[in-house]
Amino acid sequence: MKISVLTLFPEVFGPYFSASVPGRAQENGLFSMEAVNIRDFATNKHHHTDDAPFGGGAGMVMMPQPVFDCVEAVKKGYARPPKVVFMSPCGRVLDHTLARSLSQEEGLILLCGHYEGMDQRVIDRLVDLEVSIGDYVLTGGELAAMVLIDAMIRFIPGVVGNSDVHVEESFENGLLEYPQYTRPADFRGDLVPSVLLSGNHAAIAAWRRQQSLLTTARRRPELLEGEALTPKERAWLAEQLKTD
Ligand code: ADE
């Protein structure tokens, strides 16, 4: 997968994506990303990329010319036309399903806005999909693009070490994850649940399923609506929740 981020602040992408999991994944050729400066495509004398909104109002709007030229130039680096995603609070809210589906694209252009907005003609003519990372407004799309990239690359085979990670983690099975523990078994008198030390794999799996159900019921009950619970599980859960 190749990702091009179009931004006025390409320098903010370097540190995060050269470190840790994303850094290793790029070194191993599992994905590649470039950050392209939209300002380099501004043809006006002072390389301005924004102007006052028609109709008046506060703030500045990103001009179409630098963005069109930037997108058109970047597309030439792709054999097949990449999907163009605009990071915007007006977009589809990012979740596990959207991250997984976008991770299957061969190429992606992520367009980051700044100032108060983007000229609508950019959105109408160039953008295939708008994505939001939540119901709040950031000062620009850069952090949102980083969140999206990080969430997507975890689905690329080999990026996160063990493929079981995906099966077990939160959201993959529609539930939040069960609690995890590591050594020591006794930390300041606080003990790890004994079933995890039992070596009984069936009992451990059953405990983890129960804990996932309980955490999900307490924190995100709406996630349980699509979940196929056995009558026994429902009864157990109801009993647990009674004492909350
Ligand atoms: N740009 C500004 N706010 C944003 C948000 N919540 N999600 C995506 N892009 C944004």
Side-chain angles (χ1 to χ4, degrees), residues 59 85 98 133 140 145 148 166 192-193 201 220:
V85 177
L98 181 57
I133 62 159
L148 173 59
H166 282 307
V192 168
H201 296 299
R220 299 288 304 279

Side-chain angles (χ1 to χ4, degrees), residues 70-129:
C70 185
V71 169
E72 284 161 1
V74 166
K75 276 187 173 172
K76 292 198 176 111
Y78 286 82
R80 271 188 280 272
K83 193 169 259 179
V84 179
V85 177
F86 177 46
M87 307 312 302
S88 158
C90 302
R92 172 169 164 194
V93 177
L94 179 62
D95 63 8
H96 184 81
T97 307
L98 181 57
R100 183 170 43 201
S101 122
L102 288 174
S103 76
Q104 269 139 36
E105 295 288 330
E106 200 177 305
L108 275 183
I109 291 181
L110 304 186
L111 177 59
C112 301
H114 239 270
Y115 309 111
E116 298 303 306
M118 179 67 79
D119 189 288
Q120 186 61 34
R121 290 164 291 189
V122 167
I123 298 165
D124 292 344
R125 304 280 168 233
L126 297 179
V127 170
D128 298 304
L129 175 70

Side-chain angles (χ1 to χ4, degrees), residues 86-89 113 131-141 144:
F86 177 46
M87 307 312 302
S88 158
V131 172
S132 164
I133 62 159
D135 291 340
Y136 41 83
V137 181
L138 304 165
T139 58

